[in-house]
Amino acid sequence: LIASAPLEDIMKILMYNTVSDEMPYVEKWTEKTGHEVVTIDQPLNETTVDRAKGFDAITTQQTTAINVPVYAQLAQFNIKQIAIRQVGYDVLDLPEAFAHNIRLSNVAAYSPRAIAEYTLTQLFNLIRHNKKFDRAMNTGDYTWAAGGQAREIHDLTVAVIGVGRIGTALAEMLHALGATVLGVDPIYRAQNEPFVTYTTLDDALSRADVISFHTPLNDETRYMADENFFAKIQPGTIMLNFARGEIVDMVELEKALESKLLAGAAFDVTPNENDFMNQKQDITALPADVKRLIEYDNFLLSPHIAFYTNTAIKNMVEMALNDAVTMVNGGVTENEILR
């Protein structure tokens, strides 16, 4: 439940990096609560941090890092929290935030199904060779051989690396479709046993037809899919990355596609996505590695949109704004990022 604020408790919240799709939910939230939300379309950084002066709370969603100088400036403005409207919090400098007594929150459960469903969509596109067929048909080639024979999902073994909320949602869907699901995660969740077989990373790589990443980005996962990782996978494996770009070494990915070690890959993220994602530009201006990868018939790239559903946007806005108010008031939220 969202309680309306007494007049004397009305907060003024600055919402960084707002997109037009969020505005209807912002307006509804302000009507429900009585709080004031000011929106801007720039991310939180050294240039825009001064905009927070005079506000009680802030929220943002972005893939660009919030660097060290920002936290001291926020503390000077008496900003005591940052509520990010996204799952991944690798954009935050946790030690620097905590050093300035700034509380942090994310929205880890805004809609795990949104990302899981899109991951599954792209897996189907790969196993049915849809990109090959589309390209062939655009040249007038309507033959079966243009794309090739497909596989059926119930015959596949899928390694879900990171069995948190999103990984669990994907595992449930895969299990319902008849696939065998292997889970790799340092945290064992007994409730997942009906549809996930937990195992080691090496065992999963040796058995999987499909590898899907759903981990946060941290020191343990950054470039975990390196040369050694690719050396352990089966020929003909499919790789899916709908988590963070820096989890996969893109040079090794390209080698694996070129050598046909990978039968295909679908990515919603790349390490250099801030150079081109969510922008309109001439295709010749794309980063060189991206231009090469999108030429492959068996590589699918989407513009970081796996989360992008009406349910997810609504929840991201409402949960972040609620958490901002809660933390400023000294309350407890299950979405807080702890030390």
Side-chain angles (χ1 to χ4, degrees):
L1 296 176
I2 303 174
S4 298
L7 187 61
E8 65 273 14
D9 294 330
I10 289 176
M11 288 189 188
K12 189 176 179 182
I13 303 170
L14 180 60
M15 188 164 164
Y16 283 95
N17 227 33
T18 310
V19 297
S20 59
D21 292 330
E22 293 177 305
M23 288 306 301
Y25 305 114
V26 173
E27 291 165 5
K28 288 178 182 177
W29 187 85
T30 58
E31 289 173 7
K32 288 178 184 177
T33 65
H35 296 299
E36 178 184 355
V37 178
V38 175
T39 62
I40 61 174
D41 61 5
Q42 295 90 33
L44 174 59
N45 55 36
E46 295 93 325
T47 303
T48 63
V49 64
D50 286 346
R51 299 287 298 273
K53 187 175 183 180
F55 286 85
D56 301 299
I58 61 171
T59 174
T60 188
Q61 63 85 21
Q62 59 192 71
T63 56
T64 51
I66 301 171
N67 295 323
V68 168
V70 172
Y71 303 92
Q73 195 68 60
L74 290 174
Q76 186 177 331
F77 297 152
N78 203 32
I79 297 292
K80 299 176 181 177
Q81 56 67 235
I82 304 171
I84 59 171
R85 306 187 304 279
Q86 60 199 58
V87 178
Y89 53 85
D90 48 285
V91 299
L92 298 167
D93 187 317
L94 303 189
E96 196 66 25
F98 296 146
H100 288 91
N101 297 312
I102 294 173
R103 297 175 69 183
L104 306 169
S105 67
N106 68 340
V107 285
Y110 60 80
S111 181
R113 286 188 63 92
I115 296 171
E117 286 180 4
Y118 194 68
T119 303
L120 188 59
T121 297
Q122 294 293 68
L123 174 56
F124 273 120
N125 279 325
L126 284 172
I127 65 176
R128 297 310 299 250
H129 310 302
N130 285 339
K131 186 175 180 181
K132 291 181 182 179
F133 278 115
D134 286 344
R135 285 185 165 185
M137 289 187 295
N138 286 337
T139 68
D141 183 350
Y142 281 70
T143 64
W144 295 352
Q149 200 173 86
R151 301 181 69 181
E152 296 185 16
I153 201 161
H154 61 87
D155 289 329
L156 301 179
T157 297
V158 183
V160 176
I161 301 178
V163 197
R165 292 181 176 93
I166 296 167
T168 294
L170 177 63
E172 288 181 302
M173 294 175 192
L174 290 166
H175 176 75
L177 291 166
T180 299
V181 184
L182 306 177
V184 179
D185 198 297
I187 299 173
Y188 166 74
R189 294 174 176 86
Q191 65 269 29
N192 291 349
E193 281 288 355
F195 50 88
V196 175
T197 299
Y198 282 91
T199 188
T200 64
L201 178 61
D202 284 357
D203 179 60
L205 297 184
S206 71
R207 296 165 57 192
D209 302 299
V210 180
I211 297 166
S212 192
F213 294 102
H214 300 283
T215 69
L217 180 65
N218 52 39
D219 291 341
E220 286 73 41
T221 63
R222 183 172 277 104
Y223 297 114
M224 70 179 296
D226 57 9
E227 182 178 9
N228 183 54
F229 182 101
F230 279 94
K232 297 176 182 177
I233 69 175
Q234 296 189 92
T237 296
I238 289 171
M239 180 172 285
L240 311 171
N241 187 7
F242 293 79
R244 282 292 184 265
E246 291 90 341
I247 290 171
V248 178
D249 184 326
M250 299 300 278
V251 173
E252 295 302 323
L253 170 74
E254 193 170 351
K255 287 180 185 177
L257 287 168
E258 182 66 25
S259 69
K260 301 192 181 343
L261 174 63
L262 286 180
F267 278 47
D268 192 47
V269 290
T270 68
N272 56 352
E273 66 183 69
N274 289 321
D275 296 336
F276 67 97
M277 293 286 201
N278 201 26
Q279 302 174 35
K280 289 184 178 180
Q281 59 191 299
D282 191 292
I283 197 166
T284 60
L286 289 170
D289 61 335
V290 173
K291 282 192 288 186
R292 291 193 304 270
L293 285 166
I294 61 177
E295 285 302 310
Y296 284 91
D297 283 333
N298 58 347
F299 180 77
L300 307 178
L301 180 64
S302 49
H304 207 142
I305 54 164
F307 76 97
Y308 192 45
T309 67
N310 53 355
T311 299
I313 295 295
K314 172 182 179 293
N315 290 343
M316 290 163 73
V317 168
E318 291 187 353
M319 292 170 70
L321 290 173
N322 287 337
D323 287 341
V325 172
T326 297
M327 290 191 291
V328 170
N329 283 329
V332 175
T333 169
E334 64 180 358
N335 300 315
E336 184 164 5
I337 300 164
L338 299 174
R339 295 172 187 266

